[in-house]
């Protein structure tokens, strides 16, 4: 889950692009699809896959 709104988002594509931060709101759940260097994760959200710093993510419990 994204714990804090980001000012911008970097796409997790082969050719990354910067996108506006309002594509993913704080509290939206996503699925981690890749582990990246420098404490970053590739996360698939409803509106696309983005590179997100680990500090902006919060783990949610699975039932």
């Amino acid at each position: 889950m994204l714990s804090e709104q980001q000012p911008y988002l970097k796409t997790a594509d082969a050719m990354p692009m910067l996108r506006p931060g309002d594509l993913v709101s704080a509290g939206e759940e996503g699925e981690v699809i890749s582990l990246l260097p420098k404490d970053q994760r590739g996360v698939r959200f409803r509106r696309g896959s983005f590179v997100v710093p680990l500090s902006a993510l919060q783990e949610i419990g699975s039932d």
Side-chain angles (χ1 to χ4, degrees):
M1 177 171 61
L2 189 65
S3 62
E4 56 188 57
Q5 185 80 27
Q6 299 297 294
Y8 63 88
L9 295 164
K10 179 179 173 183
T11 61
D13 299 328
M15 183 74 93
M17 295 177 16
L18 291 179
R19 304 289 297 184
D22 62 355
L23 288 175
V24 180
S25 59
E28 187 170 334
E29 295 181 14
E31 177 185 0
V32 174
I33 56 172
S34 61
L35 305 175
L36 302 170
K38 297 188 179 184
D39 291 330
Q40 296 184 350
R41 301 294 182 258
V43 184
R44 180 177 295 126
F45 291 101
R46 179 176 52 92
R47 297 182 80 186
S49 298
F50 303 101
V51 175
V52 180
L54 189 56
S55 62
L57 295 174
Q58 180 180 2
E59 185 177 355
I60 56 175
S62 60
D63 295 348

